[in-house]
Amino acid sequence: MKYIKFLLIGILFGIIITKSEAISWYRIQEMFRFQSFHMYGIIGSTVVIGMIMIQLIKYKKIKSIEGKTIQFQPKEKGVKRYLFGGIIFGFGWALTGSCPGPMFTLIGNGFSIILVSIAFAILGTYSYGYFKDKLPH
């Protein structure tokens, strides 16, 4: 019962991204073809909100649900690793027409074919975990 608020937030997130058409394959296709600002507006607004929230967490010293201090670690320098990871992420997004967040919302909207994408996303995650120490970070 203590996690019910997270379930409710997840349901609200699913409703919002469904109503904003962020789960629409056509909207994602428009974005990758640079035909519409719709998805860029959604992504841009979430980046701005995220930046504001991070600053609030730092300024107000907000603690996690477990009562621990939230700390932000500085990122390693170098663009190569983020560029390579972003390209792989972008290819997956373009090929499936969905990013990881909305994949579960698509199940809730009745698009069971997305289970294939979820299976491969999980496989990719485990593959990364297995090969992580061997990769050039």
Side-chain angles (χ1 to χ4, degrees):
M1 283 305 291
K2 73 177 188 175
Y3 295 112
I4 193 77
K5 60 184 164 188
F6 298 112
L7 176 65
L8 295 174
I9 289 170
I11 291 170
L12 180 63
F13 174 72
I15 291 169
I16 290 170
I17 63 174
T18 299
K19 293 296 185 181
S20 69
E21 297 180 2
I23 63 168
S24 168
W25 184 85
Y26 298 105
R27 287 290 188 186
I28 293 168
Q29 183 184 36
E30 286 176 340
M31 176 185 69
F32 281 110
R33 291 183 176 185
F34 301 105
Q35 295 175 334
S36 174
F37 180 76
H38 185 86
M39 289 299 290
Y40 293 111
I42 291 172
I43 294 167
S45 64
T46 57
V47 167
V48 170
I49 290 169
M51 289 169 40
I52 292 168
M53 293 306 295
I54 287 173
Q55 293 308 313
L56 278 173
I57 289 169
K58 288 179 178 180
Y59 179 73
K60 298 279 188 182
K61 296 182 179 20
I62 297 173
K63 298 188 183 293
S64 71
I65 193 164
E66 291 90 21
K68 297 178 183 175
T69 302
I70 299 173
Q71 296 179 349
F72 296 94
Q73 304 299 326
K75 299 289 182 189
E76 292 182 27
K77 292 186 179 181
V79 175
K80 189 167 72 169
R81 66 185 293 188
Y82 299 110
L83 186 62
F84 185 67
I87 289 170
I88 291 173
F89 183 81
F91 278 147
W93 199 4
L95 289 171
T96 64
S98 178
C99 92
M103 285 195 308
F104 297 99
T105 304
L106 286 166
I107 293 172
N109 279 280
F111 298 100
S112 58
I113 191 65
I114 201 69
L115 288 170
V116 175
S117 296
I118 290 172
F120 280 99
I122 292 169
L123 177 65
T125 301
Y126 281 110
S127 298
Y128 174 75
Y130 182 78
F131 292 110
K132 181 181 179 184
D133 296 333
K134 298 171 181 70
L135 295 172
H137 284 101

